[in-house]
Amino acid sequence: MVQDNSAGAISTFLGTTRNNFEGKEVVSLEYEAYSEMAISELKTLCDKVRAEWEVCKIAIVHKLGNCPVGDCSVAIAISSAHRKESLQAVEFTINELKRTVPIWKKEKYSDHGSSWKR
């Protein structure tokens, strides 16, 4: 999806559901989003990345709904001519996505409790 013949690097980030958070046993996450706004914010995020780094292609996918332990909830891939740009862009992208894109997660615990997170 992000392969480009002018790119010498493709950097990726995969966010997965871990089995614990602050001493609680997590069994799954559930994601919800304001879809139209999330898509708009993701496009804005891609524009910010392109303004800061010389990248070839960007792909961002975020799962909605149930995400059991071990499953991937977010994937980011960015290609660029050199690794420095794509590595920096991927780190920026996940941090900005978490900060600006209206996607919320509910952590579900083994004790049947749950907690919404931003």
Side-chain angles (χ1 to χ4, degrees):
M1 186 177 284
V2 298
Q3 191 283 330
D4 189 280
N5 289 339
S6 66
I10 296 174
S11 298
T12 61
F13 173 81
L14 300 176
T16 59
T17 301
R18 64 178 173 265
N19 66 0
N20 67 85
F21 182 75
E22 295 182 349
K24 295 180 181 178
E25 183 181 356
V26 174
V27 294
S28 68
L29 301 176
E30 186 171 324
Y31 288 96
E32 291 186 8
Y34 175 19
S35 295
E36 293 93 13
M37 189 174 187
I39 290 167
S40 176
E41 288 296 324
L42 288 170
K43 289 177 181 177
T44 298
L45 177 53
C46 289
D47 291 343
K48 287 181 184 178
V49 168
R50 291 185 187 289
E52 184 69 27
W53 294 277
E54 287 188 37
V55 300
C56 300
K57 295 181 181 176
I58 303 168
I60 305 170
V61 178
H62 202 298
K63 184 176 186 173
L64 298 179
N66 190 54
C67 191
V69 168
D71 279 12
C72 181
S73 58
V74 61
I76 299 168
I78 300 177
S79 59
S80 62
H82 304 284
R83 70 181 176 271
K84 183 177 180 180
E85 289 82 8
S86 61
L87 287 167
Q88 290 175 346
V90 164
E91 181 177 14
F92 173 84
T93 300
I94 187 58
N95 290 337
E96 281 295 292
L97 184 153
K98 290 177 70 79
R99 191 178 74 77
T100 64
V101 179
I103 298 173
W104 302 274
K105 71 178 176 182
K106 179 193 273 187
E107 291 182 342
K108 296 181 178 181
Y109 308 115
S110 61
D111 66 4
H112 303 289
S114 63
S115 177
W116 282 100
K117 310 284 183 182
R118 171 70 167 99

